[in-house]
Amino acid sequence: MLRWFRLACCLLACLAAQALALAQPLPPEIEAALVQAELPRDAITVLVAPAEGGPARIAHRIDAPVNPASIAKLATTFAALELLGPTYTWTTPVYFDGPVREGVLQGNLVIKGQGDPKLVMERLWLLLHQVQSLGVRSIAGDLVLDRSAFALPPHDPAAFDGLPLRPYNASPDALLVNYKAVTLTITPENGVARVRADPPLAGVQWPATVPVATGTECGDWITALGADFRNLAQVRFAGRFPGSCGERVWQLAFPDPAGYSLRAVAALWRDMGGQVRGVVRDGTVPAGLKPAFEFASPPLAEVVRDINKYSNNVMAQQVFLTLSLQQRGTGTFEGSREVLGAWWRERFGGEAPVTQNGSGLSRTESITARQLGQLLQAAWVSPLMPDLTASLPALGLDGTLRRQRQNVGLAHLKTGSLNDVSGVAGYVHGAQGRRWILVAIANHPRRAGAIRNVVPALVEWAARLQ
């Protein structure tokens, strides 16, 4: 039965590909929007077609491979929904390497990461609270973090765009804690600006205050701080904070990503009243040891919503790596590329998109509008349609499209943006309950971002289709 179902899916994909091949000229209002945006026609790919399948209404350069930026997350998340299932959860096993006597674990406490994309500080607190509920207040040995489930190459957070402190450059981790991010809240008060750092990190001292600069515009206030992270035991701000800024929040990727989880776990365990007589270190689970309990993540469908609504790169990479972790025992980028490629060829036929890390944070990933159209049409008639569609930002309402003020609520679209790349892909809600897929991506060294001024015209045009 499964074999016949897959054959039927391939046949439907072939028929959809033939339907999408019926190209139509761009409508006059879209041509006018392109002219006004000063965006060349040969810099864009555009597809509008019925969500349930059928002839395309616009098919412009749909076989041209383009860099999709974060639109690549559609392939990662839909593949994960099909291969893992929307109710899939990640578990984080916790091991006691010794008995517990009078509140003391006579051995090591080992936490084994298995790729949970949403182990934020609140959920880490729940995990450690469960440890304490089992009677552990003090650890006689070490607190050990096992991150061996992923086998990853060295990561340089500055390699992509020279901005290593941007949260989108955070690297994946089998035990990813709080996205490796720190939030600094800076509040001018009585001639100085007070600094609050969240979460606390063991061995990291932040300045309590920074001098305020008066009579200056807010401008680039982050650069004005003159942050110096060379000595994490004593972070310094050599500059001043412009008082005209008011309270500001700086979310940054921690400059020591490899040590973030160790520091965060150590600080939280201490703040919860726990003690460690040994050290907090990396390691592996001893052979044959059974977990004291397993801490479960939210379901995949919820994680997919976070990924697509807010275009979270490191969460997307966690999901991508989970594909090979589940099928091959270890999460690797190469293995997940092979898993996704095999899924694509079986599901749709033909060549798979070029993937690198599953998030779209790449200069080498590529996909065609035809391939995106096939994916969106297949998802629309799939039992998983509600999960994928609900994960897409609603135009003008939430996620990465919340600031859009035209055609509010008329579409659910995944956005993508890099230098020289910009676009959307998803569904437009049309007349009489019809639904249309829309793919519009620009690759241009100077004008790619101008497609944002064309998308409202495309949405409005598609919404009027009969």
Side-chain angles (χ1 to χ4, degrees):
M1 180 64 69
L2 181 60
R3 178 172 174 242
W4 287 110
F5 174 75
R6 289 173 174 170
L7 287 173
C9 288
C10 287
L11 178 58
L12 287 173
C14 291
L15 292 174
Q18 291 175 2
L20 295 181
L22 300 177
Q24 299 291 332
L26 292 174
E29 52 265 64
I30 308 306
E31 290 280 11
L34 288 172
V35 171
Q36 186 173 2
E38 300 180 1
L39 186 59
R41 294 175 87 258
D42 62 0
I44 65 169
T45 179
V46 180
L47 173 64
V48 177
E52 70 277 9
R57 298 299 184 92
I58 300 177
H60 175 68
R61 299 183 68 245
I62 65 171
D63 289 313
V66 293
N67 187 321
S70 283
I71 295 171
K73 294 179 175 71
L74 286 174
T76 298
T77 53
F78 188 48
L81 286 169
E82 289 214 329
L83 293 172
L84 303 175
T87 61
Y88 174 86
T89 57
W90 289 260
T91 58
T92 303
V94 178
Y95 300 82
F96 295 174
D97 190 11
V100 179
R101 299 193 184 100
E102 298 181 349
V104 180
L105 171 60
Q106 307 293 326
N108 298 330
L109 175 73
V110 187
I111 303 173
K112 181 175 175 60
Q114 297 191 128
D116 186 343
K118 207 171 180 180
L119 194 59
V120 293
M121 295 306 296
E122 295 84 354
R123 296 189 62 253
L124 179 63
W125 184 92
L126 290 172
L127 183 153
L128 294 178
H129 177 72
Q130 193 164 346
V131 171
Q132 293 187 342
S133 72
L134 294 176
V136 178
R137 293 288 172 175
S138 179
I139 303 168
D142 298 338
L143 202 169
V144 181
L145 307 186
D146 184 341
R147 300 190 276 189
S148 61
F150 289 170
L152 302 174
H155 176 73
D156 178 3
F160 182 72
D161 57 7
L163 300 171
L165 298 181
R166 294 291 179 90
Y168 60 74
N169 277 321
S171 57
D173 198 307
L175 190 64
L176 179 73
V177 173
N178 207 52
Y179 316 129
K180 303 183 182 179
V182 174
T183 300
L184 298 182
T185 304
I186 304 174
T187 309
E189 185 179 293
N190 300 324
V192 297
R194 302 200 176 276
V195 180
R196 302 192 308 275
D198 184 51
L201 299 174
V204 179
Q205 184 68 43
W206 301 91
T209 62
V210 60
V212 168
T214 58
T216 60
E217 295 183 358
C218 185
D220 185 2
W221 60 272
I222 291 178
T223 299
L225 287 173
D228 183 352
F229 297 105
R230 288 176 294 181
N231 177 13
L232 293 176
Q234 190 66 56
V235 177
R236 296 179 60 250
F237 290 144
R240 293 174 176 268
F241 179 73
S244 60
C245 291
E247 184 173 274
R248 294 282 170 155
V249 174
W250 181 13
Q251 291 185 321
L252 67 147
F254 188 61
D256 175 27
Y260 183 95
S261 296
L262 295 168
R263 296 177 187 274
V265 171
L268 185 56
W269 179 250
R270 177 196 62 208
D271 289 350
M272 294 173 67
Q275 296 180 338
V276 181
R277 298 178 188 175
V279 297
V280 181
R281 61 177 175 86
D282 286 316
T284 56
V285 177
L289 192 63
K290 294 184 178 180
F293 67 91
E294 293 186 340
F295 187 75
S297 75
L300 175 62
E302 180 179 327
V303 169
V304 166
R305 283 196 293 275
D306 284 347
I307 290 171
N308 287 334
K309 288 282 189 187
Y310 304 103
S311 211
N312 190 303
N313 289 320
V314 71
M315 288 182 75
Q317 292 179 49
Q318 295 287 114
V319 171
F320 185 70
L321 288 162
T322 300
L323 298 178
S324 54
L325 175 63
Q326 288 302 304
Q327 290 200 11
R328 304 185 177 192
T330 303
T332 66
F333 284 127
E334 181 180 3
S336 291
R337 287 191 288 266
E338 292 173 356
V339 170
L340 190 144
W343 167 81
W344 185 281
R345 288 186 292 272
E346 182 175 355
R347 187 69 166 84
F348 304 108
E351 288 299 314
V354 177
T355 59
Q356 184 178 8
N357 56 44
S359 72
L361 192 67
S362 166
R363 299 293 181 192
T364 62
E365 293 193 353
S366 68
I367 197 169
T368 68
R370 183 193 298 278
Q371 289 171 320
L372 282 167
Q374 291 174 324
L375 185 152
L376 290 166
Q377 287 181 332
W380 187 257
V381 298
S382 163
L384 298 167
M385 179 274 286
D387 299 297
L388 186 70
T389 304
S391 77
L392 304 181
L395 192 61
L397 297 176
D398 65 7
T400 55
L401 287 174
R402 66 190 180 281
R403 296 179 182 175
Q404 171 63 254
R405 288 294 169 253
Q406 289 180 273
N407 305 320
V408 171
L410 274 182
H412 282 78
L413 302 169
K414 180 71 195 79
T415 60
S417 181
L418 294 173
N419 289 339
D420 309 335
V421 180
S422 186
V424 296
Y427 303 102
V428 176
H429 311 294
Q432 300 177 344
R434 293 292 302 276
R435 295 295 183 267
W436 304 90
I437 62 168
L438 168 62
V439 178
I441 301 174
N443 283 191
H444 190 276
R446 295 177 303 279
R447 301 295 303 167
I451 200 170
R452 298 187 189 99
N453 300 320
V454 180
V455 168
L458 281 163
V459 170
E460 186 174 345
W461 185 87
R464 294 196 307 265
L465 289 173
Q466 299 294 324

